[in-house]
Amino acid sequence: MTDLFQEPDDATPLEPAEREGLLQSWVTHRRDLNEAERENILRGALWARRRRGLTATGLLDGDFIWRLHGRMFGDVWKSGSRQACPALPGPALSGTGYAVPCPLRTAK
């Protein structure tokens, strides 16, 4: 039996702590965040595909990775285009925490 009054997971309002660091004021529910991130990721992926002459080595270059990261999250999160070491703000939503390694530039 289904609970008629239970909202879908993506209709859950975001807590103030979960909205901290968001650039888009219209993002108030999880579905809004999913939509904003999906659009930003698609634009970032399109940008990456348009890079002419990009080799496999170039894909693994730290500078390219950070630029791509900024393109994929920079319009949604304040830290989206920064090289944040501890964790991205998004993990607060999942509770797991994903660290983005800072030493990408030295991993050549």
Coordinates of all heavy atoms in Angstrom, one line a residue, residues 27-67:
V27 N 17.0 27.4 -6.2 CA 17.1 26.0 -5.7 C 16.7 25.9 -4.3 O 17.4 26.3 -3.4 CB 18.6 25.5 -5.9 CG1 18.8 24.1 -5.4 CG2 19.0 25.6 -7.4
T28 N 15.5 25.3 -4.1 CA 15.0 25.1 -2.7 C 14.7 23.7 -2.4 O 14.5 23.3 -1.2 CB 13.7 26.0 -2.5 OG1 12.8 25.6 -3.5 CG2 14.1 27.5 -2.6
H29 N 14.5 22.8 -3.4 CA 14.2 21.4 -3.2 C 15.2 20.6 -3.9 O 15.9 21.0 -4.8 CB 12.8 21.1 -3.8 CG 11.7 21.7 -3.0 ND1 11.3 23.0 -3.1 CD2 10.8 21.1 -2.1 CE1 10.3 23.3 -2.2 NE2 10.0 22.1 -1.6
R30 N 15.3 19.3 -3.5 CA 16.3 18.4 -4.1 C 16.1 18.3 -5.6 O 17.1 18.2 -6.4 CB 16.1 17.0 -3.5 CG 17.3 16.2 -3.6 CD 17.3 15.0 -2.7 NE 17.1 15.3 -1.3 CZ 18.1 15.6 -0.4 NH1 19.3 15.7 -0.9 NH2 17.8 15.9 0.8
R31 N 14.8 18.3 -6.1 CA 14.6 18.3 -7.6 C 15.2 19.5 -8.3 O 15.7 19.4 -9.4 CB 13.1 18.1 -7.9 CG 12.3 19.3 -7.7 CD 10.9 19.1 -8.2 NE 10.0 20.2 -7.6 CZ 9.3 20.0 -6.5 NH1 9.3 18.8 -5.9 NH2 8.6 21.0 -6.0
D32 N 15.1 20.7 -7.6 CA 15.7 21.9 -8.2 C 17.2 21.7 -8.3 O 17.8 22.1 -9.3 CB 15.4 23.1 -7.3 CG 13.9 23.4 -7.2 OD1 13.2 23.0 -8.1 OD2 13.6 24.0 -6.1
L33 N 17.8 21.2 -7.2 CA 19.3 21.0 -7.2 C 19.7 20.0 -8.3 O 20.6 20.2 -9.1 CB 19.8 20.5 -5.9 CG 21.2 20.2 -5.7 CD1 22.1 21.5 -6.0 CD2 21.6 19.7 -4.3
N34 N 18.9 18.9 -8.4 CA 19.2 17.9 -9.5 C 19.2 18.6 -10.9 O 20.0 18.3 -11.7 CB 18.2 16.8 -9.4 CG 18.4 15.9 -8.2 OD1 19.5 15.9 -7.5 ND2 17.4 15.1 -7.8
E35 N 18.1 19.4 -11.1 CA 18.0 20.1 -12.4 C 19.1 21.0 -12.7 O 19.7 21.0 -13.7 CB 16.7 20.8 -12.4 CG 16.4 21.6 -13.7 CD 15.1 22.4 -13.7 OE1 14.2 22.0 -12.9 OE2 15.0 23.3 -14.4
A36 N 19.5 21.8 -11.7 CA 20.6 22.8 -11.8 C 21.9 22.1 -12.1 O 22.6 22.5 -13.0 CB 20.7 23.7 -10.6
E37 N 22.2 21.1 -11.3 CA 23.4 20.4 -11.6 C 23.4 19.6 -12.9 O 24.4 19.6 -13.6 CB 23.7 19.4 -10.4 CG 24.1 20.1 -9.1 CD 24.5 19.1 -8.1 OE1 24.0 17.9 -8.0 OE2 25.3 19.5 -7.2
R38 N 22.3 19.0 -13.3 CA 22.2 18.3 -14.5 C 22.5 19.3 -15.7 O 23.3 19.0 -16.6 CB 20.9 17.7 -14.7 CG 20.7 16.9 -16.0 CD 19.4 16.1 -16.1 NE 18.3 16.7 -15.3 CZ 17.8 16.1 -14.2 NH1 18.3 15.0 -13.7 NH2 16.8 16.7 -13.5
E39 N 21.9 20.5 -15.7 CA 22.1 21.4 -16.8 C 23.6 21.9 -16.8 O 24.2 22.0 -17.9 CB 21.2 22.6 -16.6 CG 19.7 22.3 -16.9 CD 18.8 23.5 -16.6 OE1 19.3 24.6 -16.6 OE2 17.6 23.3 -16.5
N40 N 24.1 22.2 -15.6 CA 25.5 22.6 -15.6 C 26.5 21.5 -16.0 O 27.4 21.8 -16.8 CB 25.8 23.1 -14.2 CG 26.9 24.1 -14.1 OD1 27.3 24.5 -13.0 ND2 27.4 24.6 -15.2
I41 N 26.2 20.3 -15.6 CA 27.1 19.2 -16.1 C 27.0 19.0 -17.6 O 28.0 18.8 -18.2 CB 26.7 17.9 -15.3 CG1 27.2 18.0 -13.8 CG2 27.3 16.7 -15.9 CD1 26.6 16.9 -12.9
L42 N 25.8 19.1 -18.1 CA 25.7 18.9 -19.6 C 26.5 20.0 -20.3 O 27.1 19.8 -21.3 CB 24.2 19.0 -20.0 CG 23.4 17.7 -19.6 CD1 21.9 18.0 -19.9 CD2 23.9 16.5 -20.4
R43 N 26.4 21.3 -19.8 CA 27.2 22.4 -20.5 C 28.7 22.1 -20.3 O 29.4 22.3 -21.3 CB 26.8 23.7 -19.8 CG 25.5 24.2 -20.3 CD 25.3 25.7 -20.0 NE 25.3 26.0 -18.6 CZ 24.3 26.0 -17.8 NH1 23.1 25.7 -18.2 NH2 24.4 26.3 -16.5
G44 N 29.1 21.6 -19.2 CA 30.5 21.3 -19.0 C 31.0 20.2 -19.9 O 32.0 20.2 -20.5
A45 N 30.1 19.1 -20.1 CA 30.5 18.0 -21.0 C 30.5 18.5 -22.4 O 31.4 18.1 -23.2 CB 29.5 16.9 -20.8
L46 N 29.6 19.3 -22.8 CA 29.6 19.9 -24.2 C 30.9 20.7 -24.4 O 31.6 20.6 -25.4 CB 28.4 20.8 -24.4 CG 28.2 21.4 -25.8 CD1 28.1 20.3 -26.8 CD2 27.0 22.3 -25.8
W47 N 31.3 21.5 -23.4 CA 32.5 22.3 -23.5 C 33.7 21.3 -23.7 O 34.6 21.6 -24.6 CB 32.7 23.1 -22.3 CG 34.0 23.8 -22.2 CD1 34.4 25.0 -22.8 CD2 35.2 23.3 -21.5 NE1 35.7 25.3 -22.5 CE2 36.2 24.3 -21.7 CE3 35.4 22.2 -20.7 CZ2 37.5 24.1 -21.1 CZ3 36.7 22.0 -20.2 CH2 37.7 23.0 -20.4
A48 N 33.8 20.3 -22.9 CA 34.9 19.3 -23.0 C 34.9 18.6 -24.4 O 36.0 18.4 -24.9 CB 34.8 18.3 -21.9
R49 N 33.8 18.3 -24.9 CA 33.8 17.6 -26.2 C 34.2 18.5 -27.3 O 34.6 18.1 -28.4 CB 32.4 17.1 -26.5 CG 32.1 15.8 -25.8 CD 30.7 15.2 -26.3 NE 30.1 14.6 -25.1 CZ 29.0 15.1 -24.5 NH1 28.3 16.1 -25.0 NH2 28.5 14.5 -23.5
R50 N 34.1 19.8 -27.1 CA 34.5 20.8 -28.2 C 36.0 21.1 -28.2 O 36.5 21.8 -29.1 CB 33.7 22.1 -28.0 CG 32.3 21.9 -28.4 CD 31.5 23.2 -28.2 NE 30.1 23.1 -28.6 CZ 29.2 24.0 -28.3 NH1 29.5 25.0 -27.6 NH2 28.0 23.8 -28.7
R51 N 36.7 20.6 -27.2 CA 38.2 20.8 -27.2 C 38.8 20.1 -28.3 O 38.8 18.9 -28.3 CB 38.8 20.4 -25.8 CG 38.2 20.9 -24.6 CD 38.4 22.4 -24.5 NE 37.2 23.0 -25.0 CZ 37.0 24.3 -25.4 NH1 37.9 25.1 -25.2 NH2 35.9 24.7 -25.9
R52 N 39.4 20.8 -29.2 CA 40.1 20.2 -30.4 C 41.5 19.8 -30.0 O 42.2 20.5 -29.2 CB 40.1 21.2 -31.5 CG 38.8 21.6 -32.0 CD 38.9 22.6 -33.1 NE 37.6 23.1 -33.5 CZ 36.8 22.7 -34.5 NH1 37.3 21.7 -35.2 NH2 35.7 23.2 -34.7
G53 N 41.9 18.7 -30.5 CA 43.2 18.2 -30.2 C 43.5 17.7 -28.8 O 44.6 17.6 -28.4
L54 N 42.5 17.5 -28.1 CA 42.6 17.0 -26.7 C 43.0 15.5 -26.7 O 42.3 14.7 -27.3 CB 41.3 17.2 -25.9 CG 41.4 16.9 -24.4 CD1 42.4 17.9 -23.7 CD2 40.0 17.1 -23.8
T55 N 44.1 15.2 -26.1 CA 44.6 13.8 -26.1 C 44.2 13.1 -24.8 O 43.7 13.8 -23.9 CB 46.1 13.8 -26.2 OG1 46.7 14.5 -25.1 CG2 46.6 14.5 -27.5
A56 N 44.4 11.9 -24.7 CA 44.2 11.1 -23.5 C 45.0 11.7 -22.3 O 44.5 11.9 -21.2 CB 44.5 9.7 -23.6
T57 N 46.2 12.1 -22.6 CA 47.1 12.7 -21.6 C 46.5 14.1 -21.2 O 46.5 14.4 -20.0 CB 48.5 12.9 -22.1 OG1 49.0 11.6 -22.6 CG2 49.4 13.5 -21.1
G58 N 46.0 14.8 -22.2 CA 45.4 16.1 -21.9 C 44.1 16.0 -21.0 O 43.9 16.8 -20.1
L59 N 43.4 14.9 -21.2 CA 42.2 14.6 -20.3 C 42.6 14.5 -18.9 O 41.8 14.7 -18.0 CB 41.5 13.4 -20.8 CG 40.6 13.6 -22.0 CD1 40.1 12.2 -22.5 CD2 39.4 14.5 -21.7
L60 N 43.8 13.9 -18.6 CA 44.2 13.7 -17.3 C 45.0 14.8 -16.7 O 45.5 14.7 -15.5 CB 45.1 12.4 -17.2 CG 44.3 11.1 -17.7 CD1 45.2 9.9 -17.8 CD2 43.1 10.8 -16.8
D61 N 45.2 15.8 -17.4 CA 46.0 17.0 -16.9 C 45.2 17.7 -15.8 O 44.0 18.0 -15.9 CB 46.2 18.0 -18.1 CG 47.0 19.2 -17.6 OD1 48.2 19.1 -17.3 OD2 46.4 20.3 -17.6
G62 N 45.9 18.0 -14.7 CA 45.2 18.7 -13.6 C 44.6 20.0 -13.9 O 43.4 20.2 -13.5
D63 N 45.2 20.8 -14.8 CA 44.6 22.1 -15.2 C 43.3 21.8 -15.9 O 42.3 22.5 -15.7 CB 45.5 22.9 -16.0 CG 46.7 23.4 -15.2 OD1 46.5 23.7 -14.0 OD2 47.8 23.6 -15.8
F64 N 43.3 20.9 -16.8 CA 42.1 20.6 -17.6 C 41.0 20.0 -16.7 O 39.8 20.4 -16.8 CB 42.3 19.5 -18.7 CG 41.1 19.1 -19.4 CD1 40.6 20.0 -20.4 CD2 40.4 18.0 -19.1 CE1 39.4 19.6 -21.1 CE2 39.3 17.6 -19.8 CZ 38.7 18.5 -20.8
I65 N 41.3 19.2 -15.7 CA 40.3 18.6 -14.8 C 39.7 19.7 -14.0 O 38.5 19.7 -13.8 CB 41.0 17.5 -13.9 CG1 41.4 16.3 -14.8 CG2 40.1 17.1 -12.8 CD1 42.2 15.3 -14.1
W66 N 40.5 20.6 -13.5 CA 39.9 21.7 -12.7 C 39.1 22.7 -13.5 O 38.0 23.1 -13.1 CB 41.0 22.5 -11.9 CG 41.5 21.7 -10.8 CD1 42.7 21.2 -10.6 CD2 40.7 21.3 -9.6 NE1 42.8 20.5 -9.4 CE2 41.6 20.6 -8.8 CE3 39.4 21.5 -9.2 CZ2 41.2 20.0 -7.6 CZ3 39.0 20.9 -8.0 CH2 39.9 20.2 -7.2
R67 N 39.5 22.9 -14.8 CA 38.6 23.8 -15.6 C 37.3 23.0 -15.9 O 36.2 23.7 -15.9 CB 39.3 24.1 -16.9 CG 40.3 25.2 -16.8 CD 40.9 25.6 -18.1 NE 41.5 24.3 -18.6 CZ 42.3 24.2 -19.7 NH1 42.5 25.2 -20.4 NH2 42.8 23.0 -20.0

